[in-house]
Amino acid sequence: MCRVVDLQQAVLAKNDACAHTLREDLAARGTALVNLLSSPGSGKTALLERELTLARSRGIPVAALTADLATENDAVRLARSGVPVKQVLTDGLCHLEAEMLGGHLHGWLPADTRLLFIENVGNLVCPASYDLGETLRVVLASVTEGEDKPLKYPTAFGLAHLVVVTKTDIAEAVSFDEKEFRANVEQINPGVEVVLTSARGGEGDGLLMDRALAARDGAPVHIPVMTRKSHHVHDAEDGQPCDEGHTHPADHAHGEHTHAGERIHPRRAPGGHVHTTDPDTVASSRS
């Protein structure tokens, strides 16, 4: 068990170093990265498509990278907004990592991009452990998922800078208890903002973009209590160096943090590949 924990800590230390480098690089060019985490089927893609379309209509330079185990479906949908979109296929890996992300952004991200939205793999366990160099980490949950979602996935919700509720147009039909959901979020992540949205009904249009732009321009971002308590967070200078252009580690350990005795399981990850989507064409290339 000690070897597994040591491996986990080493992997996260290197990821933190890469995230630190990526965050500095993006900040230097005036780009804020927004990391979106959710379960599959939460409505993340639908909401993001509306936000990207709205950004384009307002003349705000934005881009999006979406990660999935397979298919280019989400990139095709997001490209309808008319903004630069890139699809990363992870071939089974359940999350993105900072070094992998940096490799995919190199040479692709437009220089004037103000907001870069990352649609992480649909999963509330593995992605929660990996800092991507984000300015804003957003966790989404639909009204259909139950009010106890924050209690079931404390790491994901506990490290969020913002919580977004989706599909509010059907909240009454599924008997969603907003008050109970908010109380559960507050229990896990005291003080974090919760916003309500509906991609179909239009509720909360532009809220995600507004919060991201404010963070980019220096507005204070919520600091989760768990960030200070988390014992996987390493000073970037203490981690292993980040190899420029690296896109995928051959071996890694992953899982939720070790808070409250949670177990960590090592896993071998297959190599991933990347596809690029623009508003006019869908092109693919191997990483």
Side-chain angles (χ1 to χ4, degrees):
M1 183 62 182
C2 291
R3 290 183 179 179
V4 174
V5 172
D6 288 344
L7 176 58
Q8 172 78 349
Q9 291 175 343
V11 169
L12 291 174
K14 182 170 184 180
N15 184 81
D16 288 346
C18 294
H20 177 78
T21 299
L22 183 56
R23 184 178 287 109
E24 287 193 332
D25 290 346
L26 290 172
R29 58 188 290 166
T31 302
L33 190 156
V34 183
N35 185 10
L36 304 177
L37 288 75
S38 80
S39 300
S42 68
K44 182 165 72 267
T45 306
L47 177 64
L48 183 53
E49 183 182 355
R50 286 186 71 96
E51 295 292 303
L52 296 178
T53 301
L54 182 59
R56 187 168 186 263
S57 71
R58 294 181 180 178
I60 301 170
V62 299
L65 181 147
T66 181
D68 275 306
L69 276 66
T71 83
E72 297 179 354
N73 295 348
D74 287 354
V76 171
R77 288 177 60 186
L78 295 178
R80 295 186 304 208
S81 66
V83 309
V85 174
K86 189 172 194 177
Q87 177 79 58
V88 172
L89 300 183
T90 65
D91 286 343
L93 185 65
C94 60
H95 63 276
L96 288 173
E97 296 178 11
E99 192 170 18
M100 179 197 317
L101 176 61
H104 292 320
L105 296 180
H106 182 70
W108 168 74
L109 188 65
D112 64 344
T113 304
R114 293 177 64 189
L115 297 178
L116 169 62
F117 290 93
I118 304 298
E119 185 180 14
N120 218 315
V121 179
N123 180 349
L124 282 177
V125 181
C126 308
S129 298
Y130 291 85
D131 181 2
L132 297 183
E134 63 258 27
T135 302
L136 199 66
R137 175 178 288 213
V138 182
V139 176
L140 301 89
S142 73
V143 298
T144 62
E145 295 178 67
E147 295 81 0
D148 62 347
K149 202 77 171 185
L151 305 181
K152 290 182 175 180
Y153 297 93
T155 302
F157 284 87
L159 291 174
H161 301 126
L162 176 69
V163 175
V164 174
V165 178
T166 61
K167 305 184 183 181
T168 57
D169 54 298
I170 60 171
E172 184 176 354
V174 299
S175 301
F176 176 70
D177 189 330
E178 179 188 340
K179 183 177 180 181
E180 181 180 350
F181 179 84
R182 287 180 178 274
N184 290 335
V185 171
E186 183 68 16
Q187 179 180 334
I188 299 300
N189 192 345
V192 70
E193 182 182 13
V194 178
V195 299
L196 307 180
T197 66
S198 169
R200 177 177 293 180
E203 181 178 6
D205 270 3
L207 281 178
L208 177 58
M209 181 172 57
D210 290 344
R211 299 299 188 274
L213 285 172
R216 173 197 176 273
D217 294 337
V221 174
H222 170 70
I223 302 176
V225 172
M226 193 176 288
T227 299
R228 298 190 291 270
K229 292 181 178 180
S230 174
H231 40 87
H232 89 272
V233 175
H234 307 274
D235 188 297
E237 294 180 355
D238 295 333
Q240 302 176 44
C242 182
D243 298 327
E244 188 68 28
H246 177 74
T247 57
H248 206 295
D251 295 276
H252 74 290
H254 72 279
E256 285 224 58
H257 305 302
T258 55
H259 305 305
E262 292 168 342
R263 297 179 64 187
I264 302 171
H265 303 278
R267 183 171 302 186
R268 180 176 295 274
H273 60 281
V274 61
H275 295 257
T276 304
T277 304
D278 62 37
D280 302 312
T281 62
V282 178
S284 65
S285 62
R286 292 282 178 178
S287 58

